[in-house]
C-alpha cells in the first residue's frame, strides 16, 4: 500500500500549506471474503477489495472531515479544500480543540495464526457446510419442532491501516476481523421463536475452530426450538429474577456502556443516538448496589473490539465505568477528555476510512462476583431464570429499558425447573431500578456474547463484546 | 461521469461468457454539517466513486462493489478473480433472470426539480443555513440544539448485457434538529427532506428549527405518563417509523428469508379501507427519485396496501418469476456486506396517501383523551413474524384532554403491528417528506390510532 501511504503523508504536507492547526490522515486498504446462504444454499459469495483515505482537519476553531476513494492528488485537494472552507464558515463561539497532543509511533497487528488472505476460497466455502451440519444436527434433536429458516452470513476482513497526524503520530497496523450472523426461525404447534446470533471476533482462520462457534450454534438452536413450547405464566406479586450471561451482557452495553460515552453526556450525539442519564449526575453518584461494577476493555485478545491504539493514536487501556454501584469513569476521546478536564482513555473508533472517529465501546462487561449459579438460585423462593433474550429496547438517555426473555425457566424453592419453560417474561426497568435490585453476581464472566453497536451519523457500526456473569435481581414486578 | 468504466466492465464480463451482467457506476459528492450544543461540530465532505456489478452464469451469481481500480489491467485481474469464484458456486436460490431490453422509455423528469443547479455553491452557504435554524429554535424557547444537514449529488450510469444503457443525476437533502433545555426530558424535534436545497432551504430550515424549539418549550414540566391503552395521534415522523414497518415486509426476499409475516396474506384486509400506502420513486422534488431500477425496468408508483388490502409485493425480474408476477421496477444491487452485492428487490420510498383531516379534526375525532407523539426511536421486535414490537416516544409527547395539552414523558409503545394497522381511525391531509437518521425516509401524514398499548418501567 505504498501509493496510499504516500498520499496519506502528502495530506500532512498539504495541510501545512493550508496553515491548519491540526490534520490527520487514515488510509485503509484491504480485502474481504464473504459467504451468505439460505437454508444451506449459497446465495452470495466472493471477495472484494476496497481502499480510501479519511482526513480530519482543524482550522480557525472549526473541524472539517474529507474522505475519498479515488487515490489521486486532484481529488485529495478538492475534498480537503471544501472541508476547510466549510469549517472556516462554521463561526463557532467556542473554538474546537483536539485536546492534549498525542505522539505514538508503532507497528502493530491483531494477534492471529492464519491470515484470511492465505485462505483460498474453496476452503472459505466450507464454512457454509459446517453451519448447515450444525443446523441439521440440531434439527435431529428437537423432534417435531421445525426449523423452517436458517440464514448464515460470514465475512472476513483483512486490511492495513496507516494513520498519521501533524503532531507526529505514525501507526501501521494489520487487521484480521470476522463478522457475521446466524438467523433461525423455529416453530412448534405451541409457538414460533426467532433468533439472531452474532458471530464476531478478531483473529485469523483459526477463530472458527478455537471458538467452537458451530457447536455453540447447534446448542443454541436446540434451546430456541424448545422455547417455542414455553407457557405464559402470570405473577401477581414481585418475584426474584436470575438472568444469564447473555442478558447481563446486553445490560452492561445498553444501561452502562452507552450512557458512559462522554460525547453523549455532553450532547454531541443528541439528535440521533441521543444523550445520557449521566448528564444530570456527577462521577461518584450511586446508581446501583455495591455488587455492580462494569468495565470496558479493548485489550482482550480475540474480542471483536480489540485494538492496541485507538483511531486517534492513543494506547488502549481498560476503563472502569461503574465501581460498586457508583459512576466512575466516562468513555473519552481526545476532545472530550479535555472537556472533562482529563485525558483520552482511548475510546475513539472509526468504522472505515470514510467515517470520523467517535467515542465507542470495545468490550463492555459486568465484573464477576462471588457466587456460583446454583448459589444465586438456591435462596430464590419463586422466580425466573432468564437465560437469553429476544427483544431489547431502551430510551435515548439509556434509562428506561426493556428486555424480553427467550430461553426462560421457572425457579421454585431454590431450584431451576428445567421442565417448566416460561414464555417471554418482560423486564421493564429503569437503569437505577435494575442495578439497585442486583444482590449477587456469579464468579465467571462469559466472554463470548458479541454484537454490532450503532452510533453516529452517518451510522457507524462497531463490533463489540457484551458480557457479564449471571446476576440475581430481587423483588421485580414483571410487565 | 465515467461512462467508460461501465462499458469496460460490461464488455469484459460479456467476453467471459456470462449469461447476464449488470454494471452500475455511481459517483457521489456528499456533504454533511453536524452540530450540537448550538454550534457546528464537523463539516464533512465525501467524494465516492464505485462500480457495482452483478453477473450470472448457469444461475450461479456474484455481485460486488469496487473502488475505481488504477488501470484496466488491474480491473480485469479483479474481474477474473470474481469469475473464477463464480464457476465454483452452486446455483443461487435468488436468481432466475434479469430484465430483457430493448431499453424502454423512462419517465421524463423536470431537471430543475430533481437536480439542484446551485449544488456546487450551496456547500459554502450551508453553515449559515444551519446556524440560522439553530437561532430560530433558540428564539422559540430551546436552550440547546443538535442535528445534521445532509446533502449531495449522485450520478448513476447503468448498463446491462440485455440492452440497457441509461444514466440519471439527482440531488438530495435532509435536515433534522433536536431542541432541548438544560436537561434531557424536555425536548422537541423536526426534520424535512427534499431535492433542491438552494430553493427555499433557508426558509424551510428555519421553520423546522422553530417547530423544534416550540415543542421543547411546551415540554417544560413534563410529568411521568401513566401506562395504559390510549387513542394516540402519531406525527408524520412516528407514522413513518411505525406504519411503514408492515408494508416493508411486502418483500419476497424477506419472505424467503423468514423475516416477513405477509407470506400468505395477499388480498387480506390489513387496515381500514381509507388506508393506501404505495412505494413511489417517481416524485420530483423528493429526496428519493429513480426513473429506472438496477435492471433498467422503469419505476412506477406501486400500491402495497390499497384501500386497506395487501395488494402487491415488490419484485425484480427473478422474484417475479418465482412468485408468478411481473417486475415492479424494484430491483436493487444491495449491499450484503463486504462489498458484495445481491441483485434483489428493495423499496424506494413509501407514501401514505393523505386523508381529509386537519390536526384539530384528528384531536376532536371523539371526546376521549388522546396522546400526541412527536417522535419515536429504537423499534425492536420480540417476534417480527408475529409483529410484536416496542418503540420509545421522544422529543414531545402530550396528553390532550378537554382541549389542553399536558406534557408527559417516559412511556413506551408496546404493541403489535397488525393491531396498530387495524386500529387506524383517521388520516391527516398534511403529507410530509420526512427523513431521520437510519430510522425512516418516506412521505407520511399525521395518523390517529385507537387503543395503543403504552407501558412504563415498574421500578
Amino acid at each position: 500500500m505504498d501509493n496510499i501511504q504516500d498520499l496519506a503523508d502528502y495530506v500532512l504536507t498539504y495541510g501545512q500549506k493550508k496553515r491548519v492547526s491540526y490534520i490527520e490522515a487514515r488510509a485503509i486498504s484491504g480485502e474481504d471474503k464473504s459467504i451468505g446462504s439460505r437454508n444451506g444454499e449459497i446465495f452470495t459469495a466472493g471477495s472484494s477489495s476496497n481502499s480510501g483515505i479519511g482526513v480530519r482537519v482543524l482550522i480557525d476553531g472549526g473541524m472539517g472531515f474529507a474522505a475519498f476513494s479515488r487515490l489521486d492528488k486532484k481529488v485529495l485537494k478538492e475534498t480537503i479544500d471544501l472541508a476547510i472552507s466549510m469549517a472556516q464558515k462554521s463561526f463557532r463561539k467556542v473554538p474546537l480543540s483536539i485536546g492534549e497532543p498525542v505522539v505514538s509511533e508503532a507497528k502493530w497487528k491483531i494477534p492471529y495464526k492464519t491470515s484470511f488472505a492465505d485462505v483460498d476460497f474453496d476452503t472459505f466455502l466450507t464454512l457454509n457446510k459446517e453451519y448447515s451440519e450444525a443446523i441439521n444436527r440440531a434439527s435431529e434433536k428437537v423432534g417435531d419442532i421445525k426449523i423452517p429458516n436458517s440464514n448464515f452470513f460470514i465475512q472476513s476482513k483483512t486490511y492495513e491501516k496507516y494513520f498519521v497526524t501533524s503532531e507526529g503520530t505514525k501507526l501501521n497496523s494489520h487487521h484480521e476481523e470476522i463478522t457475521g450472523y446466524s438467523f433461525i426461525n423455529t416453530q412448534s404447534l405451541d409457538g414460533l421463536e426467532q433468533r439472531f446470533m452474532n458471530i464476531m471476533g478478531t483473529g485469523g482462520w483459526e477463530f472458527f475452530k478455537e471458538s467452537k462457534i458451530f457447536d455453540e450454534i447447534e446448542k443454541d438452536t436446540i434451546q430456541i426450538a424448545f422455547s417455542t413450547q414455553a407457557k405464559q405464566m402470570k405473577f401477581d406479586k414481585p418475584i426474584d429474577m436470575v438472568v444469564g450471561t447473555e442478558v447481563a451482557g446486553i445490560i452492561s452495553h445498553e444501561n452502562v456502556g452507552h450512557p458512559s460515552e462522554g460525547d453523549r453526556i455532553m450532547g454531541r450525539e443528541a439528535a440521533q443516538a441521543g444523550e445520557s442519564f449521566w448528564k444530570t449526575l456527577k462521577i461518584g453518584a450511586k446508581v446501583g448496589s455495591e455488587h455492580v461494577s462494569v468495565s470496558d476493555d479493548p485489550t482482550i485478545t480475540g474480542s471483536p473490539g480489540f485494538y492496541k491504539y485507538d483511531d486517534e493514536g492513543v494506547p488502549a487501556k481498560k476503563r472502569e465505568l461503574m465501581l460498586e454501584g457508583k459512576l466512575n469513569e466516562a468513555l473519552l476521546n481526545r476532545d472530550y477528555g479535555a472537556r472533562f478536564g482529563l485525558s483520552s482513555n482511548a475510546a475513539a473508533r472509526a468504522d472505515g476510512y470514510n467515517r470520523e472517529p467517535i467515542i465507542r465501546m470495545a468490550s463492555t462487561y459486568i465484573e464477576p462476583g462471588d457466587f456460583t449459579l446454583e448459589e444465586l438460585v438456591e435462596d430464590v423462593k419463586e422466580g425466573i431464570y432468564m437465560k437469553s433474550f429476544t427483544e431489547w429496547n431502551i430510551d435515548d438517555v439509556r434509562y428506561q429499558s426493556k428486555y424480553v426473555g427467550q430461553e426462560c425457566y421457572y425457579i421454585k424453592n431454590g431450584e431451576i425447573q428445567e421442565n417448566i419453560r416460561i414464555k417471554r417474561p418482560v423486564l421493564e426497568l429503569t437503569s437505577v431500578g435494575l442495578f439497585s435490585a442486583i444482590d449477587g453476581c456469579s464468579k465467571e464472566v462469559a466472554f463470548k456474547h458479541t454484537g454490532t453497536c450503532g452510533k453516529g451519523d452517518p451510522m457507524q457500526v462497531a463490533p463489540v463484546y457484551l458480557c457479564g456473569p449471571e446476576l440475581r435481581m430481587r423483588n421485580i414486578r414483571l410487565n | 461521469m465515467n461512462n467508460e468504466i461501465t462499458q469496460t466492465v460490461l464488455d469484459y464480463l460479456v467476453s467471459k461468457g456470462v449469461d447476464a451482467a449488470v454494471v452500475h457506476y455511481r459517483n457521489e459528492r456528499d456533504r454533511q454539517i453536524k452540530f450540537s450544543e448550538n454550534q457546528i461540530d464537523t463539516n464533512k465532505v465525501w467524494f465516492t466513486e464505485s462500480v457495482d456489478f452483478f453477473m450470472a452464469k448457469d444461475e450461479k451469481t456474484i455481485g460486488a462493489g469496487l473502488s475505481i481500480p488504477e488501470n484496466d489491467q488491474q480491473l480485469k485481474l479483479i474481474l477474473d478473480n470474481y469469475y473464477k469464484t463464480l464457476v465454483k458456486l452452486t446455483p443461487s436460490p435468488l436468481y432466475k433472470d434479469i430484465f430483457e431490453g430493448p431499453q424502454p422509455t423512462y419517465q421524463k423528469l423536470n431537471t430543475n426539480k430533481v437536480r439542484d443547479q446551485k449544488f456546487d455553491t450551496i456547500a459554502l452557504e450551508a453553515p449559515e443555513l444551519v446556524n440560522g435554524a439553530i437561532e430560530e429554535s433558540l428564539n422559540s424557547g430551546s436552550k440547546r440544539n443538535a442535528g445534521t444537514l445532509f446533502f449531495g449529488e449522485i450520478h448513476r450510469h447503468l448498463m446491462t448485457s440485455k440492452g440497457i444503457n441509461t444514466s440519471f443525476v439527482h440531488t438530495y437533502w435532509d435536515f433534522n434538529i433536536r431542541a432541548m433545555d438544560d436537561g434531557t426530558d424536555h425536548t422537541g424535534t423536526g426534520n424535512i427532506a427534499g431535492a433542491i436545497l438552494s430553493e427555499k432551504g433557508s426558509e424551510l430550515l428555519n421553520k423546522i428549527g422553530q417547530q423544534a424549539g416550540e415543542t421543547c418549550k411546551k415540554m417544560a414540566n413534563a410529568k411521568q405518563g401513566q401506562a395504559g391503552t390510549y387513542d394516540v395521534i402519531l406525527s408524520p415522523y412516528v407514522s413513518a417509523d411505525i406504519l411503514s414497518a408492515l408494508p416493508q415486509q411486502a418483500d419476497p426476499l424477506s419472505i424467503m428469508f423468514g423475516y416477513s409475516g405477509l407470506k400468505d396474506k395477499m388480498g387480506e384486509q390489513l387496515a381500514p379501507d381509507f388506508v393506501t400506502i404505495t412505494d413511489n420513486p417517481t416524485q420530483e422534488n423528493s429526496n428519493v427519485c429513480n426513473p429506472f431500477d438496477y435492471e433498467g425496468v422503469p419505476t412506477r408508483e406501486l400500491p402495497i396496501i390499497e384501500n386497506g388490502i395487501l395488494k402487491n409485493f415488490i419484485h425484480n425480474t427473478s422474484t417475479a418469476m418465482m412468485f408468478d408476477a411481473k417486475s415492479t421496477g424494484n430491483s436493487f444491487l444491495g449491499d450484503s456486506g463486504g462489498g458484495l452485492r445481491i441483485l434483489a428487490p428493495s423499496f424506494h420510498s413509501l407514501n401514505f396517501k393523505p386523508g381529509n383531516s386537519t390536526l384539530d379534526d384528528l384531536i376532536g375525532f371523539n371526546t376521549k383523551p388522546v396522546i400526541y407523539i412527536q417522535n419515536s426511536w429504537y423499534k425492536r421486535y420480540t417476534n417480527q413474524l408475529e409483529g410484536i414490537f416496542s418503540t420509545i416516544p421522544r422529543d414531545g409527547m402530550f396528553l390532550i384532554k378537554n382541549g389542553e395539552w399536558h406534557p408527559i414523558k417516559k412511556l413506551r409503545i408496546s404493541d403489535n403491528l397488525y393491531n396498530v394497522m387495524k386500529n387506524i381511525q383517521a388520516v391527516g391531509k398534511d403529507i410530509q417528506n420526512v427523513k431521520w437518521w437510519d430510522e425512516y425516509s418516506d412521505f407520511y401524514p399525521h395518523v390517529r390510532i385507537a387503543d395503543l398499548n403504552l407501558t412504563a418501567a415498574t421500578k
Side-chain angles (χ1 to χ4, degrees):
Chain A
M1 100 180 225
D2 284 345
N3 182 36
I4 196 169
Q5 285 196 9
D6 290 346
L7 269 179
D9 288 337
Y10 179 73
V11 166
L12 302 191
T13 307
Y14 191 66
Q16 280 175 347
K17 282 185 197 168
K18 294 284 175 179
R19 300 181 184 282
V20 301
S21 49
Y22 173 82
I23 192 163
E24 68 182 31
R26 179 176 298 96
I28 290 177
S29 178
E31 185 186 78
D32 307 330
K33 286 191 176 78
S34 302
I35 180 172
S37 69
R38 167 187 163 267
N39 293 347
E41 292 183 303
I42 294 171
F43 64 85
T44 183
S47 59
S48 66
S49 57
N50 61 69
S51 56
I53 297 177
V55 176
R56 253 192 339 171
V57 56
L58 198 58
I59 186 165
D60 296 341
M63 178 74 80
F65 175 82
F68 44 93
S69 57
R70 182 182 279 270
L71 301 177
D72 74 46
K73 284 187 180 172
K74 183 169 177 285
V75 172
L76 178 154
K77 289 175 184 176
E78 279 176 9
T79 51
I80 294 176
D81 284 352
L82 183 56
I84 285 175
S85 298
M86 290 172 71
Q88 287 175 316
K89 287 179 177 290
S90 297
F91 300 122
R92 286 182 59 91
K93 295 183 185 89
V94 182
L96 275 171
S97 143
I98 193 81
E100 289 295 306
V102 169
V103 181
S104 298
E105 199 161 347
K107 289 188 178 181
W108 64 277
K109 62 182 182 181
I110 296 280
Y112 69 94
K113 292 175 186 165
T114 305
S115 170
F116 283 101
D118 298 328
V119 175
D120 65 45
F121 211 80
D122 286 342
T123 306
F124 198 76
L125 287 175
T126 61
L127 293 174
N128 183 51
K129 186 166 175 279
E130 288 196 59
Y131 176 76
S132 299
E133 287 172 355
I135 297 296
N136 288 339
R137 287 195 302 272
S139 185
E140 286 166 8
K141 292 173 185 170
V142 296
D144 292 337
I145 303 172
K146 306 281 185 230
I147 306 174
N149 298 95
S150 58
N151 306 330
F152 175 61
F153 180 79
I154 202 81
Q155 174 189 17
S156 70
K157 292 182 181 179
T158 303
Y159 62 94
E160 308 292 327
K161 189 187 289 186
Y162 179 64
F163 178 65
V164 284
T165 75
S166 54
E167 294 170 341
T169 285
K170 182 177 281 197
L171 294 168
N172 273 289
S173 52
H174 176 91
H175 299 257
E176 300 276 342
E177 298 174 2
I178 304 103
T179 63
Y181 63 82
S182 161
F183 172 86
I184 56 163
N185 282 328
T186 61
Q187 189 160 23
S188 69
L189 292 174
D190 302 304
L192 171 71
E193 288 295 326
Q194 300 183 298
R195 176 73 160 170
F196 185 92
M197 183 179 181
N198 284 293
I199 304 165
M200 318 194 86
T202 48
W205 175 250
E206 67 280 358
F207 165 86
F208 292 101
K209 193 167 184 185
E210 292 176 0
S211 68
K212 297 181 179 172
I213 187 67
F214 296 110
D215 290 342
E216 288 285 326
I217 288 169
E218 178 191 342
K219 285 184 211 162
D220 190 71
T221 301
I222 290 168
Q223 292 309 321
I224 299 307
F226 285 129
S227 295
T228 61
Q229 298 174 328
K231 305 293 181 199
Q232 283 192 331
M233 194 178 274
K234 283 202 169 179
F235 298 89
D236 295 331
K237 56 184 182 183
I239 59 167
D240 294 339
M241 295 288 295
V242 176
V243 302
T245 59
E246 178 182 294
V247 183
I250 188 78
I251 288 170
S252 75
H253 179 92
E254 302 291 0
N255 298 70
V256 183
H258 272 307
S260 78
E261 293 163 346
D263 52 354
R264 278 178 177 274
I265 295 168
M266 289 201 170
R268 191 179 194 268
E269 298 299 313
Q272 289 87 22
E275 297 201 286
S276 166
F277 74 92
W278 288 33
K279 187 178 190 71
T280 52
L281 302 172
K282 290 189 172 150
I283 294 296
K286 190 167 171 57
V287 295
S289 78
E290 69 274 18
H291 301 279
V292 187
S293 294
V294 181
S295 302
D296 186 84
D297 189 353
T299 69
I300 300 172
T301 302
S303 64
F306 176 87
Y307 51 85
K308 287 191 175 176
Y309 292 85
D310 79 352
D311 275 312
E312 291 185 325
V314 180
K317 58 179 283 198
K318 179 178 175 180
R319 288 75 62 124
E320 295 179 314
L321 309 179
M322 190 192 292
L323 263 184
E324 297 177 351
K326 294 176 182 171
L327 305 185
N328 184 66
E329 183 179 5
L331 290 171
L332 301 170
N333 62 2
R334 292 180 58 186
D335 179 8
Y336 282 86
R339 295 184 196 216
F340 274 73
L342 300 165
S343 300
S344 166
N345 51 22
R349 298 175 72 184
D351 87 348
Y353 74 87
N354 55 0
R355 296 290 183 267
E356 61 171 341
I358 56 175
I359 295 174
R360 309 306 300 263
M361 285 172 264
S363 290
T364 317
Y365 59 95
I366 298 175
E367 295 281 359
D370 300 324
F371 295 88
T372 62
L373 174 61
E374 290 71 25
E375 287 166 346
L376 288 175
V377 170
E378 70 185 5
D379 70 343
V380 173
K381 201 170 179 185
E382 183 175 40
I384 293 174
Y385 174 41
M386 184 193 282
K387 194 172 179 188
S388 65
F389 67 94
T390 164
E391 182 187 334
W392 80 105
N393 189 275
I394 192 162
D395 67 0
D396 80 275
V397 297
R398 308 286 162 166
Y399 194 67
Q400 309 271 330
S401 57
K402 175 180 176 181
Y403 300 101
V404 181
Q406 189 159 45
E407 183 188 349
C408 302
Y409 303 91
Y410 185 49
I411 301 173
K412 186 72 179 172
N413 296 328
E415 286 191 2
I416 295 172
Q417 309 292 307
E418 291 192 0
N419 59 340
I420 305 178
R421 288 179 184 257
I422 297 180
K423 186 172 183 176
R424 300 175 186 165
V426 178
L427 273 180
E428 196 162 354
L429 301 168
T430 65
S431 292
V432 172
L434 190 159
F435 290 121
S436 300
I438 293 173
D439 79 336
C441 306
S442 70
K443 292 174 184 173
E444 298 264 334
V445 175
F447 284 109
K448 63 177 185 179
H449 304 297
T450 64
T452 52
C453 172
K455 185 180 171 186
D457 187 9
M459 178 67 81
Q460 297 195 47
V461 175
V464 292
Y465 258 160
L466 321 84
C467 302
E470 284 107 352
L471 314 172
R472 183 175 60 207
M473 302 174 198
R474 297 290 196 187
N475 211 23
I476 302 294
R477 185 175 288 282
L478 297 178
N479 234 349
Chain B
M1 285 292 286
N2 194 336
N3 293 352
E4 295 83 6
I5 195 164
T6 326
Q7 184 80 58
T8 303
V9 173
L10 181 66
D11 288 349
Y12 197 68
L13 295 180
V14 170
S15 76
K16 302 296 285 186
V18 299
D19 300 330
V22 171
V23 185
H24 186 266
Y25 168 79
R26 194 175 170 97
N27 172 333
E28 280 193 59
R29 295 189 296 156
D30 303 300
R31 291 87 173 84
Q32 186 199 55
I33 296 175
K34 182 174 169 64
F35 60 98
S36 69
E37 301 294 300
N38 305 326
Q39 299 186 86
I40 292 172
D41 292 319
T42 323
N43 302 269
K44 301 177 191 173
V45 178
W46 289 270
F47 180 85
T48 312
E49 273 184 297
S50 60
V51 181
D52 298 329
F53 69 87
F54 169 87
M55 58 177 157
K57 186 171 177 59
D58 301 330
E59 297 197 0
K60 302 169 183 178
T61 67
I62 272 189
L66 300 178
S67 302
I68 305 298
E70 286 176 23
N71 53 51
D72 281 2
Q73 194 181 1
Q74 190 188 18
L75 174 65
K76 287 173 182 174
L77 266 177
I78 294 168
L79 296 177
D80 279 342
N81 280 335
Y82 277 107
Y83 187 77
K84 281 179 197 163
T85 304
L86 174 75
V87 294
K88 291 175 182 171
L89 299 178
T90 50
S92 166
L94 306 183
Y95 181 73
K96 293 293 178 193
D97 205 348
I98 64 170
F99 175 63
E100 182 88 44
Q103 185 163 302
T105 303
Y106 300 117
Q107 182 191 3
K108 293 272 184 239
L109 294 162
N110 182 340
T111 304
N112 290 325
K113 291 186 176 176
V114 296
R115 185 179 186 186
D116 194 335
Q117 304 301 317
K118 295 178 181 170
F119 178 76
D120 285 332
T121 56
I122 195 71
L124 295 179
E125 297 168 23
E128 191 179 335
L129 297 182
V130 166
N131 283 329
I134 293 170
E135 202 60 36
E136 282 295 327
S137 176
L138 291 169
N139 291 339
S140 303
S142 71
K143 291 187 177 170
R144 302 183 297 129
N145 290 276
T148 54
L149 172 64
F150 224 135
F151 54 105
E153 183 176 79
I154 301 171
H155 295 241
R156 300 174 57 202
H157 180 217
L158 174 73
M159 295 184 76
T160 77
S161 61
K162 301 211 174 181
I164 302 300
N165 182 354
T166 185
S167 59
F168 182 57
V169 184
H170 70 101
T171 53
Y172 72 90
W173 68 275
D174 58 79
F175 174 73
N176 67 79
I177 184 168
R178 189 182 197 199
M180 298 153 283
D181 69 4
D182 292 328
T184 58
D185 283 342
H186 311 141
T187 62
T189 194
N191 72 65
I192 188 168
I196 317 291
L197 179 59
S198 66
E199 185 182 274
K200 295 185 182 175
S202 173
E203 182 187 324
L204 293 171
L205 264 60
N206 286 349
K207 188 177 160 193
I208 292 298
Q210 181 187 344
Q211 172 194 308
E214 286 173 353
T215 308
C216 169
K217 189 177 178 184
K218 279 192 222 166
M219 280 295 289
N221 303 315
K223 302 278 191 301
Q224 170 70 53
Q226 295 298 309
T229 302
Y230 295 90
D231 288 3
V232 299
I233 295 169
L234 309 181
S235 79
Y237 315 138
V238 189
S239 294
D241 185 33
I242 297 176
L243 303 179
S244 63
L246 203 54
Q248 279 172 344
Q249 291 187 20
D251 168 11
L253 209 67
S254 294
I255 289 168
M256 286 191 276
F257 279 76
Y259 307 134
S260 169
L262 296 182
K263 182 181 173 185
D264 301 315
K265 292 190 164 39
M266 186 60 74
E268 276 191 28
Q269 189 88 35
L270 298 178
D273 59 9
F274 53 84
V275 171
T276 292
I277 302 174
T278 67
D279 183 45
N280 187 5
T282 68
Q283 296 182 99
E284 295 169 335
N285 225 342
S286 76
N287 66 325
V288 178
C289 187
N290 296 311
F292 51 84
D293 74 1
Y294 278 65
E295 295 176 32
V297 176
T299 57
R300 62 186 168 99
E301 182 168 18
L302 178 77
I304 304 297
I305 292 174
E306 190 171 59
N307 300 327
I309 294 168
L310 179 61
K311 199 77 177 177
N312 286 296
F313 295 145
I314 58 169
H315 282 296
N316 68 356
T317 301
S318 288
T319 63
M321 291 169 77
M322 293 174 199
F323 281 69
D324 196 20
K326 288 184 178 172
S327 171
T328 55
N330 286 83
S331 194
F332 181 69
L333 207 43
D335 188 357
S336 61
L340 289 169
R341 299 286 188 270
I342 310 174
L343 191 69
S346 178
F347 287 92
H348 300 285
S349 178
L350 288 173
N351 283 230
F352 196 121
K353 292 296 167 193
N356 299 317
S357 303
T358 63
L359 181 56
D360 284 341
D361 294 336
L362 295 177
I363 294 168
F365 183 82
N366 59 31
T367 56
K368 289 168 71 175
V370 62
I371 289 179
Y372 181 90
I373 303 173
Q374 176 76 0
N375 198 14
S376 61
W377 96 312
Y378 220 92
K379 184 168 73 267
R380 295 289 185 278
Y381 293 93
T382 291
N383 189 302
Q384 198 163 340
L385 292 176
E386 294 170 344
I388 304 167
F389 78 104
S390 304
T391 188
I392 317 263
R394 65 184 251 189
D395 308 330
M397 180 161 53
F398 302 90
L399 175 64
I400 307 171
K401 209 171 173 180
N402 302 322
E404 291 182 358
W405 291 51
H406 306 277
I408 55 173
K409 61 183 181 180
K410 298 189 191 306
L411 289 174
R412 170 179 282 107
I413 298 170
S414 299
D415 214 303
N416 183 302
L417 291 179
Y418 292 95
N419 291 343
V420 173
M421 292 297 286
K422 276 181 185 157
N423 289 343
I424 294 173
Q425 287 180 314
V427 179
K429 58 182 179 183
D430 56 340
I431 191 162
Q432 293 179 35
N433 189 176
V434 294
K435 164 82 171 72
W436 182 51
W437 206 20
D438 280 9
E439 304 284 313
Y440 50 78
S441 175
D442 296 304
F443 286 78
Y444 270 75
H446 278 92
V447 176
R448 182 173 169 128
I449 312 277
D451 300 330
L452 193 72
N453 189 42
L454 301 178
T455 58
T458 61
K459 194 162 189 160

